[in-house]
Every structure is written in structure tokens, then in C-alpha cells.
Amino acid sequence: MERVGDDMIFEEIVSRLPAKVVCHFKCVSKQWCYELSTPKFVSIHARRLGNSIQKKLLSLKENSIVVDDIVAGNLEDDTRKTVTFPYDVHPSFLRIICSFNGLILVCIKRSYSELVLWNPTTRRFKLISDDYFVRHFGRHNDTGGMYFDEDNNLKVLHINCTSDILTARVYSRRHDSWRQLNFLSGTQLASNFYSWSPGIYSGKTIYFMVSNYWIPPG
């Protein structure tokens, strides 16, 4: 009988399993832990899960964080579970910026702002904010998105619009660093009369809905 290669095991078999099962397989050996943590496997696994009819909906409630199952577009009854955020922070101080392939970008709103990459399924997390995030995140002023580049490196895009100036920065998980982008310089969309939605990734592009709004004087 021909021996099944490791690539076949990881890319064609294990990649079709739920995330929690994959986490258990990381305990088989150091080699398995390494193979199941590579950007290539993460990308394949996320793509297969993205095509599944079963999804997860995470919601910030008044005093808790809950996860519901969605199957074929319908919210499943009696599947709600409560999850714990990795930092001791009340849900009212959290804001979900965007989600991508099971990862959630969360802003902790305190006297200063912190950005956290969080995977509620594996319970892994990483604080990615730097000294730039010393101020509050604004509901209309700040947004973001996530994507994998051509090298399967996870990138986090952050956009801030303040005083008619748009600032775009990108975080690289592989290099654990931020860099600034030249993006929409001098655009009218940076004014206080526009509000940006969370970024939605589709077809190698991040889409934003930018809405024009007006607040009456006083």
C-alpha cells in the first residue's frame, strides 16, 4: 500500500476539520504543531471553513460575549455559548473593528486605545497596538480590515480620519510592525461629514462603505 504523504494529511484531510479539532492535533508532536501553524495551512484551513454552510456569530452583549451557530443562513436555537475575552475588560469597553477568517480585531476603549487580534475558537490573542494608539477610537473616525498578502502574511489595515486628514497604516503579523501608507491623500472622505464602515474582504480587495452624514449645530 502506498504511504500517504504529509502534505496529503495536512492539506487534504486535517484542513477540513473544525478549528478546535485542529488545535488538539497540535499536541501530537512538535512537527505537527509546526505544520498546523504555518501560514500556508492557516490559509487553506480558513478557505475551507469559509466555504462551509456553518458559521459563527459573535456578539457583544451588555454584560457578556456570546457566540451563536448559523447554519445555512439561519440562527440555530439553543447553541448560544458564552466566551471570555483574554483581558479583564467589561464588554462595554470593547469594540469589534472587523473580522476575517475566524480572527477578530478588537479595540479596548480605556483612557487610551489598544488593538487586539483575537481568535475566540483557539483562545489565542496578540496585542498589536503601538504608541500611535494613545487616543480614543472614534465610531466615525476609525476603521480597519484584515487580509493575507501574496506571501500568506496576515496584514491589518487601520484607517483614521481626523481634522480632514486620512491616515492609513498596515500591521504585519510576520514582522510585528506597522508602516504608513500613502492612501487617498487630500480626499474629501477624511472630513468629519463622512463615516466609514468596517472593512469587508472579498476577492483580494477590502471594501468600505463611506456614508455622508450631517449633525445639526448644537
Side-chain angles (χ1 to χ4, degrees):
M1 181 180 294
E2 185 178 351
R3 182 179 180 272
V4 178
D6 290 344
D7 288 347
M8 177 68 72
I9 294 175
F10 296 127
E11 297 178 16
E12 297 299 330
I13 300 176
V14 181
S15 66
R16 302 176 188 274
L17 300 175
K20 284 189 175 181
V21 178
V22 173
C23 288
H24 292 320
F25 276 135
K26 288 184 177 182
C27 300
V28 171
S29 67
K30 289 184 178 180
Q31 179 65 22
W32 275 57
C33 183
Y34 170 79
E35 294 291 347
L36 299 179
S37 301
T38 62
K40 180 181 180 181
F41 176 82
V42 172
S43 178
I44 294 173
H45 187 239
R47 186 170 63 249
R48 294 199 190 284
L49 289 184
N51 294 329
S52 171
I53 63 171
Q54 181 169 340
K55 310 290 184 182
K56 299 286 186 181
L57 174 66
L58 184 141
S59 307
L60 299 178
K61 300 300 182 181
E62 185 176 355
N63 294 301
S64 62
I65 306 174
V66 299
V67 175
D68 294 288
D69 288 342
I70 299 179
V71 178
N74 298 313
L75 192 67
E76 290 288 285
D77 296 330
D78 302 324
T79 63
R80 174 164 293 186
K81 298 179 181 178
T82 301
V83 296
T84 303
F85 190 65
Y87 291 87
D88 185 16
V89 180
H90 192 274
S92 62
F93 289 95
L94 301 177
R95 177 190 167 199
I96 297 176
I97 305 296
C98 61
S99 63
F100 175 70
N101 286 355
L103 287 174
I104 299 177
L105 183 63
V106 182
C107 173
I108 304 176
K109 302 178 296 181
R110 294 191 269 210
S111 56
Y112 53 93
S113 295
E114 294 177 305
L115 282 185
V116 178
L117 270 179
W118 179 37
N119 187 327
T121 302
T122 63
R123 300 181 182 178
R124 297 181 65 183
F125 64 95
K126 182 175 179 60
L127 182 67
I128 65 171
S129 50
D130 57 9
D131 294 339
Y132 177 80
F133 298 97
V134 293
R135 49 172 184 70
H136 278 299
F137 261 55
R139 183 166 64 92
H140 299 292
N141 306 94
D142 293 90
T143 186
M146 291 186 281
Y147 63 98
F148 282 108
D149 66 11
E150 61 275 7
D151 297 318
N152 279 327
N153 178 21
L154 178 70
K155 298 291 186 69
V156 177
L157 171 67
H158 169 249
I159 294 176
N160 170 260
C161 300
T162 303
S163 302
D164 296 338
I165 298 176
L166 188 147
T167 303
R169 303 172 80 231
V170 170
Y171 170 83
S172 166
R173 185 170 68 173
R174 183 173 300 166
H175 300 105
D176 192 24
S177 61
W178 289 86
R179 66 182 177 91
Q180 189 162 328
L181 299 177
N182 184 16
F183 178 62
L184 292 180
S185 298
T187 179
Q188 188 180 18
L189 301 179
S191 76
N192 293 332
F193 295 105
Y194 289 91
S195 176
W196 289 61
S197 73
I200 302 297
Y201 181 87
S202 178
K204 299 183 179 181
T205 303
I206 299 180
Y207 294 89
F208 297 92
M209 183 169 65
V210 185
S211 305
N212 181 238
Y213 71 99
W214 177 71
I215 301 177

